[in-house]
Amino acid sequence: MHTKEFARSLRAFAELAEFERSQELYRLAACFDEGHKETILTRMKRMSPSTAYPLRLKESLEAIEQGFRALGATKQANALRTVLTLFAGRPGAAIGVFIAEISSSSRIANLSVKRFKTADIDLVKSVASQLAEPALEAEAFEGILATLSSSKAVGTPTLVLIANCYLGNQRIYRDRKSALEAIERHFRGRPLRPTRQCEVLE
């Protein structure tokens, strides 16, 4: 099943749903309608499971999947089951937050890259996890930032990898200052969300 075909199907079901459910289906349809036509599996490789999801939307998709299976539309039902793997974490997220989260690439840093050879991986995971805590207060953040600012306490490869993990990107920061500024900007503008553990490819 292709993304644009999937989007058309969601819009058709949205026409039959009550208002709030229909709006969620329309938003998800728009998400999959963006970009080039490709298979659901191909698109899913560039998407991330959520840390929280809209319960009503998940229930809608599960009902649609059951309907497809009852009709013998196995291909469509399997596509829905694949999409449902995005609904990880806890229920309760707003649709906009959910769409933004699943549309972002996974937070994975590739340690085979030469610049990460000397990074302290245990420290990276520990600090990135602390920074991602939704309950982290400004005072505690300032303490972490002060530690990160010390090149003796945290080497540059480690700092850059912390920034990559925390921000969910693979950007090459030109110096320590730019990495620290990126971490601070992200913290100041962060939404409240559950912790997502940083993963690394060894």
Side-chain angles (χ1 to χ4, degrees):
M1 192 174 192
H2 288 84
T3 50
K4 295 189 180 295
E5 179 187 358
F6 178 62
R8 286 195 300 271
S9 299
L10 289 181
R11 291 192 184 98
F13 283 106
E15 292 291 327
L16 304 175
E18 50 91 10
F19 180 76
E20 292 184 350
R21 286 184 184 274
S22 71
Q23 296 309 298
E24 291 178 337
L25 289 169
Y26 281 130
R27 292 286 298 276
L28 186 61
C31 174
F32 278 90
D33 202 23
E34 292 178 351
H36 299 293
K37 178 181 178 181
E38 57 190 344
T39 65
I40 294 292
L41 288 176
T42 299
R43 178 67 61 86
M44 291 284 289
K45 291 177 182 178
R46 300 198 307 276
M47 302 180 83
S48 301
S50 65
T51 55
Y53 60 86
L55 178 59
R56 183 172 49 216
L57 177 58
K58 183 180 182 182
E59 292 173 344
S60 296
L61 294 181
E62 288 173 338
I64 294 171
E65 180 202 0
Q66 291 173 7
F68 277 139
R69 291 200 187 280
L71 293 171
T74 305
K75 181 179 75 172
Q76 289 82 356
N78 289 342
L80 258 298
R81 178 47 48 187
T82 300
V83 171
L84 280 164
T85 62
L86 295 171
F87 290 73
R90 58 176 176 77
I95 181 64
V97 174
F98 172 74
I99 294 294
E101 188 173 19
I102 65 173
S103 299
S104 64
S105 297
S106 299
R107 297 185 175 191
I108 298 177
N110 189 349
L111 294 189
S112 65
V113 177
K114 185 177 180 179
R115 66 182 183 276
F116 293 147
K117 289 296 185 182
T118 60
D120 184 336
I121 304 307
D122 290 336
L123 183 59
V124 169
K125 292 181 178 180
S126 174
V127 175
S129 178
Q130 291 175 47
L131 289 170
E133 283 290 343
L136 181 65
E137 297 181 353
E139 185 176 352
F141 172 77
E142 293 295 344
I144 295 173
L145 198 63
T147 300
L148 295 178
S149 299
S150 169
S151 59
K152 292 183 178 180
V154 180
T156 298
T158 301
L159 172 61
V160 171
L161 190 52
I162 288 170
N164 288 157
C165 284
Y166 177 47
L167 277 71
N169 62 32
Q170 296 186 30
R171 179 178 171 182
I172 300 175
Y173 295 98
R174 64 182 184 276
D175 51 32
R176 294 180 64 86
K177 181 180 178 182
S178 60
L180 289 166
E181 288 176 344
I183 291 171
E184 184 168 12
R185 280 197 305 272
H186 190 73
F187 176 79
R188 303 299 181 196
R190 65 180 180 155
L192 294 179
R193 60 182 182 275
T195 301
R196 166 177 281 182
Q197 185 167 347
C198 170
E199 298 178 1
V200 292
L201 298 176
E202 303 193 41

